[in-house]
Amino acid sequence: MTRVILTVVVVSVVCAIGYYVFTHPNLGQVERLSEELEVLKSQNRELAEQNQALEKRIVALRDDPRLAERRARETVGLARPGEIIFQFEEPGEVVQVQVRLLVQADKLELAGKAVAPAELGAALAALRNEIRRARLSVVFSKDADAIMRQRVRDIVDASPLAPAEYLEM
């Protein structure tokens, strides 16, 4: 009889320990931490591979003069003595040129050249043909009278360079 009681006690204790272990709230946390540990180990392996690649690149840059020269040419634009470097614009790149028309009481200056008021329309059309991306700024000096201002505005607004930016000096 004592043997049966002892067996029942031992079985009960083993069952209680098993129940406690498998139903304990920390069991879920252990599984979550195990998964997180695997993710971190994977990230660590990837970073180690990146470090090795960077170390190889550092050695190559430090020891290979051809690679260092190519890098200097590409990033800084260095050249050997006597070399000529050609730089080309990207085809899709839009470059605008700002052109100034200075209006004074007695004269007009378009891009630094004197223009007669009667020839202003033709000069603006010729400028558009020469510089496709031209943007016109009209600067009126304080001594330009109202009639001259209006006449210039009318010519500019009818030109291929319209709309223009109007400024006071």
Side-chain angles (χ1 to χ4, degrees), residues 7 16 27-28 37 76 83 98 112 129 131 135 139 153 164 168-169:
T7 304
L27 189 63
L37 178 64
V76 185
E83 280 186 337
Q98 189 74 26
N129 290 334
I131 306 172
R135 175 120 173 94
V139 180
R153 278 183 185 267
E168 295 290 327
M169 190 165 102

PDB file of all heavy atoms in Angstrom, residues 7 16 27-28 37 76 83 98 112 129 131 135 139 153 164 168-169:
ATOM      1  N   THR A   7       3.892   5.813  -5.394  1.00  0.00           N
ATOM      2  CA  THR A   7       3.795   5.919  -6.846  1.00  0.00           C
ATOM      3  C   THR A   7       2.810   7.005  -7.245  1.00  0.00           C
ATOM      4  O   THR A   7       3.067   7.786  -8.165  1.00  0.00           O
ATOM      5  CB  THR A   7       3.326   4.561  -7.430  1.00  0.00           C
ATOM      6  OG1 THR A   7       4.218   3.538  -6.994  1.00  0.00           O
ATOM      7  CG2 THR A   7       3.322   4.595  -8.935  1.00  0.00           C
ATOM      8  N   ALA A  16       2.316  17.579 -11.966  1.00  0.00           N
ATOM      9  CA  ALA A  16       2.245  18.979 -11.542  1.00  0.00           C
ATOM     10  C   ALA A  16       3.389  19.785 -12.140  1.00  0.00           C
ATOM     11  O   ALA A  16       3.199  20.912 -12.612  1.00  0.00           O
ATOM     12  CB  ALA A  16       2.243  19.064 -10.017  1.00  0.00           C
ATOM     13  N   LEU A  27       6.619  30.865 -21.137  1.00  0.00           N
ATOM     14  CA  LEU A  27       6.887  29.978 -22.259  1.00  0.00           C
ATOM     15  C   LEU A  27       6.706  30.711 -23.594  1.00  0.00           C
ATOM     16  O   LEU A  27       7.531  30.578 -24.505  1.00  0.00           O
ATOM     17  CB  LEU A  27       5.955  28.757 -22.193  1.00  0.00           C
ATOM     18  CG  LEU A  27       6.247  27.643 -23.171  1.00  0.00           C
ATOM     19  CD1 LEU A  27       7.630  27.062 -22.893  1.00  0.00           C
ATOM     20  CD2 LEU A  27       5.203  26.550 -23.061  1.00  0.00           C
ATOM     21  N   GLY A  28       5.668  31.531 -23.726  1.00  0.00           N
ATOM     22  CA  GLY A  28       5.447  32.328 -24.938  1.00  0.00           C
ATOM     23  C   GLY A  28       6.542  33.358 -25.141  1.00  0.00           C
ATOM     24  O   GLY A  28       6.980  33.617 -26.261  1.00  0.00           O
ATOM     25  N   LEU A  37      16.036  36.278 -31.569  1.00  0.00           N
ATOM     26  CA  LEU A  37      17.453  35.936 -31.589  1.00  0.00           C
ATOM     27  C   LEU A  37      17.864  35.448 -32.974  1.00  0.00           C
ATOM     28  O   LEU A  37      18.922  35.831 -33.484  1.00  0.00           O
ATOM     29  CB  LEU A  37      17.758  34.867 -30.529  1.00  0.00           C
ATOM     30  CG  LEU A  37      19.198  34.387 -30.466  1.00  0.00           C
ATOM     31  CD1 LEU A  37      20.114  35.532 -30.057  1.00  0.00           C
ATOM     32  CD2 LEU A  37      19.319  33.222 -29.493  1.00  0.00           C
ATOM     33  N   VAL A  76      35.946  64.156 -58.261  1.00  0.00           N
ATOM     34  CA  VAL A  76      36.474  65.513 -58.132  1.00  0.00           C
ATOM     35  C   VAL A  76      36.691  66.176 -59.482  1.00  0.00           C
ATOM     36  O   VAL A  76      36.771  67.389 -59.585  1.00  0.00           O
ATOM     37  CB  VAL A  76      37.793  65.497 -57.314  1.00  0.00           C
ATOM     38  CG1 VAL A  76      38.306  66.882 -57.041  1.00  0.00           C
ATOM     39  CG2 VAL A  76      37.614  64.744 -56.019  1.00  0.00           C
ATOM     40  N   GLU A  83      45.692  66.985 -70.352  1.00  0.00           N
ATOM     41  CA  GLU A  83      44.424  66.373 -70.746  1.00  0.00           C
ATOM     42  C   GLU A  83      43.336  67.433 -70.852  1.00  0.00           C
ATOM     43  O   GLU A  83      43.344  68.414 -70.127  1.00  0.00           O
ATOM     44  CB  GLU A  83      43.971  65.328 -69.720  1.00  0.00           C
ATOM     45  CG  GLU A  83      44.652  64.015 -69.850  1.00  0.00           C
ATOM     46  CD  GLU A  83      44.056  62.978 -68.915  1.00  0.00           C
ATOM     47  OE1 GLU A  83      43.453  63.334 -67.896  1.00  0.00           O
ATOM     48  OE2 GLU A  83      44.210  61.796 -69.221  1.00  0.00           O
ATOM     49  N   GLN A  98      18.863  83.785 -68.278  1.00  0.00           N
ATOM     50  CA  GLN A  98      18.206  85.030 -67.896  1.00  0.00           C
ATOM     51  C   GLN A  98      18.804  86.165 -68.736  1.00  0.00           C
ATOM     52  O   GLN A  98      20.008  86.382 -68.717  1.00  0.00           O
ATOM     53  CB  GLN A  98      18.422  85.303 -66.399  1.00  0.00           C
ATOM     54  CG  GLN A  98      17.613  86.440 -65.853  1.00  0.00           C
ATOM     55  CD  GLN A  98      16.146  86.066 -65.699  1.00  0.00           C
ATOM     56  OE1 GLN A  98      15.807  84.921 -65.543  1.00  0.00           O
ATOM     57  NE2 GLN A  98      15.295  87.040 -65.763  1.00  0.00           N
ATOM     58  N   GLY A 112      23.061  93.830 -72.862  1.00  0.00           N
ATOM     59  CA  GLY A 112      24.259  94.659 -72.916  1.00  0.00           C
ATOM     60  C   GLY A 112      24.473  95.391 -74.223  1.00  0.00           C
ATOM     61  O   GLY A 112      25.422  96.148 -74.355  1.00  0.00           O
ATOM     62  N   ASN A 129      15.375  83.094 -81.260  1.00  0.00           N
ATOM     63  CA  ASN A 129      15.939  82.120 -82.195  1.00  0.00           C
ATOM     64  C   ASN A 129      17.341  81.689 -81.789  1.00  0.00           C
ATOM     65  O   ASN A 129      17.712  80.539 -81.991  1.00  0.00           O
ATOM     66  CB  ASN A 129      15.956  82.684 -83.618  1.00  0.00           C
ATOM     67  CG  ASN A 129      14.555  82.806 -84.187  1.00  0.00           C
ATOM     68  OD1 ASN A 129      13.649  82.090 -83.786  1.00  0.00           O
ATOM     69  ND2 ASN A 129      14.381  83.729 -85.113  1.00  0.00           N
ATOM     70  N   ILE A 131      18.675  81.858 -78.555  1.00  0.00           N
ATOM     71  CA  ILE A 131      18.654  81.214 -77.235  1.00  0.00           C
ATOM     72  C   ILE A 131      17.238  80.733 -76.984  1.00  0.00           C
ATOM     73  O   ILE A 131      16.359  81.510 -76.611  1.00  0.00           O
ATOM     74  CB  ILE A 131      19.108  82.201 -76.130  1.00  0.00           C
ATOM     75  CG1 ILE A 131      20.468  82.801 -76.473  1.00  0.00           C
ATOM     76  CG2 ILE A 131      19.144  81.487 -74.795  1.00  0.00           C
ATOM     77  CD1 ILE A 131      20.891  83.908 -75.544  1.00  0.00           C
ATOM     78  N   ARG A 135      14.879  83.663 -70.793  1.00  0.00           N
ATOM     79  CA  ARG A 135      13.829  84.238 -69.931  1.00  0.00           C
ATOM     80  C   ARG A 135      14.175  85.713 -69.790  1.00  0.00           C
ATOM     81  O   ARG A 135      15.286  86.058 -69.408  1.00  0.00           O
ATOM     82  CB  ARG A 135      13.831  83.537 -68.582  1.00  0.00           C
ATOM     83  CG  ARG A 135      12.879  84.130 -67.594  1.00  0.00           C
ATOM     84  CD  ARG A 135      11.865  83.082 -67.152  1.00  0.00           C
ATOM     85  NE  ARG A 135      11.036  83.596 -66.080  1.00  0.00           N
ATOM     86  CZ  ARG A 135       9.878  84.170 -66.268  1.00  0.00           C
ATOM     87  NH1 ARG A 135       9.393  84.292 -67.478  1.00  0.00           N
ATOM     88  NH2 ARG A 135       9.172  84.618 -65.272  1.00  0.00           N
ATOM     89  N   VAL A 139      14.013  95.726 -66.847  1.00  0.00           N
ATOM     90  CA  VAL A 139      14.331  96.604 -65.718  1.00  0.00           C
ATOM     91  C   VAL A 139      14.121  98.043 -66.166  1.00  0.00           C
ATOM     92  O   VAL A 139      14.786  98.518 -67.087  1.00  0.00           O
ATOM     93  CB  VAL A 139      15.785  96.395 -65.251  1.00  0.00           C
ATOM     94  CG1 VAL A 139      16.101  97.305 -64.072  1.00  0.00           C
ATOM     95  CG2 VAL A 139      16.030  94.940 -64.889  1.00  0.00           C
ATOM     96  N   ARG A 153       6.498  97.655 -72.720  1.00  0.00           N
ATOM     97  CA  ARG A 153       5.626  96.567 -72.230  1.00  0.00           C
ATOM     98  C   ARG A 153       4.810  95.965 -73.381  1.00  0.00           C
ATOM     99  O   ARG A 153       4.668  94.743 -73.480  1.00  0.00           O
ATOM    100  CB  ARG A 153       4.683  97.071 -71.147  1.00  0.00           C
ATOM    101  CG  ARG A 153       5.290  97.149 -69.777  1.00  0.00           C
ATOM    102  CD  ARG A 153       4.218  97.599 -68.768  1.00  0.00           C
ATOM    103  NE  ARG A 153       4.784  97.810 -67.465  1.00  0.00           N
ATOM    104  CZ  ARG A 153       4.820  96.879 -66.507  1.00  0.00           C
ATOM    105  NH1 ARG A 153       4.305  95.708 -66.720  1.00  0.00           N
ATOM    106  NH2 ARG A 153       5.365  97.146 -65.341  1.00  0.00           N
ATOM    107  N   ALA A 164       7.331  88.230 -69.449  1.00  0.00           N
ATOM    108  CA  ALA A 164       8.603  88.689 -68.933  1.00  0.00           C
ATOM    109  C   ALA A 164       8.427  89.139 -67.481  1.00  0.00           C
ATOM    110  O   ALA A 164       7.310  89.368 -67.024  1.00  0.00           O
ATOM    111  CB  ALA A 164       9.125  89.854 -69.766  1.00  0.00           C
ATOM    112  N   GLU A 168      11.646  97.323 -61.202  1.00  0.00           N
ATOM    113  CA  GLU A 168      11.956  98.758 -61.118  1.00  0.00           C
ATOM    114  C   GLU A 168      13.351  98.913 -60.541  1.00  0.00           C
ATOM    115  O   GLU A 168      13.736  98.208 -59.621  1.00  0.00           O
ATOM    116  CB  GLU A 168      10.949  99.471 -60.191  1.00  0.00           C
ATOM    117  CG  GLU A 168       9.515  99.480 -60.691  1.00  0.00           C
ATOM    118  CD  GLU A 168       9.335 100.372 -61.905  1.00  0.00           C
ATOM    119  OE1 GLU A 168      10.026 101.402 -62.013  1.00  0.00           O
ATOM    120  OE2 GLU A 168       8.487 100.022 -62.748  1.00  0.00           O
ATOM    121  N   MET A 169      14.086  99.873 -61.084  1.00  0.00           N
ATOM    122  CA  MET A 169      15.454 100.104 -60.598  1.00  0.00           C
ATOM    123  C   MET A 169      15.517 101.332 -59.763  1.00  0.00           C
ATOM    124  O   MET A 169      14.852 102.289 -59.923  1.00  0.00           O
ATOM    125  CB  MET A 169      16.401 100.204 -61.784  1.00  0.00           C
ATOM    126  CG  MET A 169      17.837 100.199 -61.423  1.00  0.00           C
ATOM    127  SD  MET A 169      18.830  99.884 -62.862  1.00  0.00           S
ATOM    128  CE  MET A 169      19.397 101.521 -63.221  1.00  0.00           C
TER     129      MET A 169
END
